[in-house]
Amino acid sequence: MIGPQPYHGHFDGPQHLFAVRVYFEDTDFSGLVYHSRYLHFMERARSDMLACAGIGQREAFEGGQGVYAVADLRIKYRAPAHFDDALLVVSEMEEIRAASVIIHQRVMRADQILTEASVTAAFLSPEGRPRRQPKDWLDKFAAIRDGKGQAK
């Protein structure tokens, strides 16, 4: 018997869209979303984007290929989110490098940008050194960036 399946975002051209709802646990004592929770929302969206693209992070890690790690993060907070807000995390491939990708992300409430960030995810060997990403992953990233499709 297959139980309920978790929510998955989807691609709209070059953009990956991932919806989140603000829960009470995401807020501080004033009822606003705590600043670090935006990082959680964006991490979930990035992980979902890779899964939707057919990039098996777990398989790569378990197979000894390597793992992604955030190497750089630049974030700008523009407006607060509140308890029970429906948010959308929009992620786009900004730059594709041999051993890393730069992903631009926006956390939106309707048409309003609440937070945006540029995240560099480096692909690391099991020993923690930068390593070239698998060729087929680079091809998938390029296709997504160019709005020409993604894995089903």
Side-chain angles (χ1 to χ4, degrees):
M1 177 175 155
I2 297 175
Q5 296 299 302
Y7 167 78
H8 290 285
H10 67 279
F11 286 97
D12 183 6
Q15 297 182 329
H16 177 264
L17 308 177
F18 188 80
V20 297
R21 177 155 314 275
V22 176
Y23 295 110
F24 183 75
E25 69 182 12
D26 299 318
T27 62
D28 62 18
F29 72 93
S30 70
L32 302 177
V33 170
Y34 189 65
H35 73 279
S36 68
R37 297 305 287 178
Y38 294 97
L39 299 174
H40 293 238
F41 301 155
M42 288 186 269
E43 174 62 35
R44 289 181 199 145
R46 285 193 310 277
S47 292
D48 188 75
M49 180 180 73
L50 296 178
C52 287
I55 294 171
Q57 293 187 88
R58 183 176 182 163
E59 293 82 3
F61 174 74
E62 290 175 351
Q65 285 183 291
V67 64
Y68 282 110
V70 172
D72 188 59
L73 170 71
R74 295 164 200 249
I75 191 164
K76 175 76 173 170
Y77 298 96
R78 299 186 180 279
H82 306 89
F83 172 69
D84 205 36
D85 277 353
L87 306 178
L88 183 67
V89 182
V90 180
S91 305
E92 294 182 75
M93 301 304 297
E94 196 170 81
E95 189 175 338
I96 304 164
R97 300 175 178 165
S100 65
V101 292
I102 301 175
I103 302 167
H104 183 260
Q105 295 185 282
R106 298 183 310 274
V107 179
M108 314 277 299
R109 181 179 51 227
D111 292 334
Q112 182 182 23
I113 299 173
L114 303 180
T115 304
E116 64 182 320
S118 181
V119 182
T120 301
F123 193 66
L124 305 177
S125 70
E127 296 77 38
R129 295 197 174 119
R131 164 181 268 177
R132 288 185 175 275
Q133 300 172 88
K135 171 77 169 90
D136 63 318
W137 291 12
L138 294 173
D139 294 341
K140 290 175 184 180
F141 286 145
I144 292 163
R145 178 199 59 211
D146 298 341
K148 295 180 182 173
Q150 71 276 346
K152 299 288 182 199

